[in-house]
Amino acid sequence: MNTPVPSLHLPLSVVVIDDEPLARIRIRTLLSQAAVPNAVQSEFGESVTALLHLQELDRAGRSPDLVVLDIQMPGLDGMVLAARLRELQRPPAVVFVTAHAEHALRAFDLAAADYLTKPVRLERLNASLERVQRLRATLQPARDEPLDDGEVLVVQERGRVERIPLADILYFKAEQKAVLLRTADDSRTIDDSLTELEGRVGARFIRVHRNALVSRQAMKALERRADDPDGGEAWAVQVLPTLEWLAVSRRQVSAVREAMAQPL
């Protein structure tokens, strides 16, 4: 049975995970004051029990819309837990809340909806909730189903709304605070975030790096291009028909290689 796409008017269901009781109280208080309607389903002070609970909810088809997650915790840290949540059939959006700003890049490698540093301000939490709300509204009921060639992506560019066939899009790449949408004949900067786009375009695109989504049908070659500054291997994927090379993160090399081995 297909689950309907949630409405913008339904409150976001939220799970809070933080090992500090005062931090959980603070988040619950801010959530109660937020402009975006929400309801805290449950809260946890450690990650293992939280993961078991979320896995059970997922099996029952009742995954929350959002997990507000601390990073440094006993047992599984927040980064590991977020990676495990991505394995669920219907993974919730994740907003990291932490006192340590140095984890931000790794957080967005995990497709986090947002990254908030403590003490959290209400206006920043509101912005995160609005982002999750938009993402929830654009998710397909079944993201892994094949997409029709006639399907389009509606994008906004400096107040202009345009319908672009998904089959024409080669990749999306985050550049500073904007996202570049590339087709064979054109490129433009759009207002959508990469995380929102990943939820909207479904299985036709693959995350190759924290800053890029690439059309599976546009990938021509995957190569080790050079050594990266940290002494590891630097990989890149070549995109047709422009023959551009886009960086592939080390953690995504296997997934990209597997995707290229599959028939289109």
Side-chain angles (χ1 to χ4, degrees):
M1 182 176 67
N2 287 334
T3 303
V5 177
S7 165
L8 278 172
H9 302 292
L10 294 176
L12 295 174
S13 55
V14 183
V15 171
V16 178
I17 307 172
D18 196 310
D19 64 319
E20 298 178 3
L22 291 178
R24 296 198 302 273
I25 292 172
R26 168 71 175 167
I27 289 297
R28 284 205 319 271
T29 301
L30 290 174
L31 287 168
S32 71
Q33 299 169 351
V36 175
N38 67 88
V40 177
Q41 279 188 357
S42 52
E43 63 175 73
F44 297 89
E46 54 85 25
S47 52
V48 174
T49 304
L51 176 59
L52 294 173
H53 176 73
L54 290 165
Q55 289 172 332
E56 183 178 347
L57 289 178
D58 186 61
R59 287 191 292 269
R62 296 188 291 111
S63 289
D65 299 308
L66 169 64
V67 172
V68 179
L69 179 59
D70 190 18
I71 291 180
Q72 293 191 340
M73 293 185 292
L76 299 177
D77 72 15
M79 293 292 182
V80 175
L81 178 56
R84 296 289 299 274
L85 293 181
R86 292 188 69 185
E87 299 170 359
L88 299 180
Q89 184 175 358
R90 296 183 181 277
V94 171
V95 170
F96 286 107
V97 178
T98 178
H100 305 279
E102 66 269 19
H103 299 295
L105 290 180
R106 189 177 165 208
F108 288 112
D109 221 6
L110 292 168
D114 211 344
Y115 185 97
L116 307 180
T117 53
K118 299 176 181 179
V120 177
R121 293 178 291 113
L122 179 58
E123 55 268 31
R124 278 292 288 116
L125 180 61
N126 268 326
S128 299
L129 295 177
E130 289 171 0
R131 183 173 295 123
V132 173
Q133 189 182 53
R134 291 195 303 270
L135 179 61
R136 182 183 68 171
T138 57
L139 286 174
Q140 301 293 332
R143 286 177 52 179
D144 291 332
E145 292 180 359
L147 298 171
D148 296 331
D149 286 342
E151 191 164 353
V152 299
L153 178 72
V154 179
V155 300
Q156 297 184 44
E157 181 184 6
R158 293 187 292 276
R160 179 171 179 259
V161 179
E162 185 175 355
R163 293 159 58 90
I164 302 175
L166 281 177
D168 291 350
I169 301 172
L170 306 181
Y171 63 81
F172 303 95
K173 186 176 181 183
E175 297 184 342
Q176 296 180 343
K177 295 184 179 181
V179 170
L180 178 73
L181 183 155
R182 184 75 162 97
T183 65
D185 304 315
D186 188 25
S187 62
R188 79 276 307 280
T189 301
I190 60 176
D191 296 337
D192 306 76
S193 75
L194 206 61
T195 300
E196 291 168 342
L197 289 165
E198 187 173 21
R200 292 166 62 187
V201 299
R204 184 188 292 263
F205 288 74
I206 184 171
R207 174 82 71 153
V208 301
H209 195 276
R210 63 180 173 81
N211 69 352
L213 289 170
V214 176
S215 168
R216 292 173 183 265
Q217 68 180 13
M219 296 190 297
K220 178 180 185 293
L222 172 68
E223 289 185 11
R224 178 185 170 185
R225 301 285 289 169
D227 291 330
D228 69 25
D230 297 325
E233 296 178 336
W235 291 80
V237 64
Q238 190 177 37
V239 178
L240 285 173
T242 62
L243 300 182
E244 296 168 89
W245 289 94
L246 298 178
V248 177
S249 65
R250 278 175 284 177
R251 71 174 59 200
Q252 290 300 109
V253 170
S254 296
V256 173
R257 184 182 289 118
E258 180 180 342
M260 293 188 64
Q262 296 175 356
L264 294 175

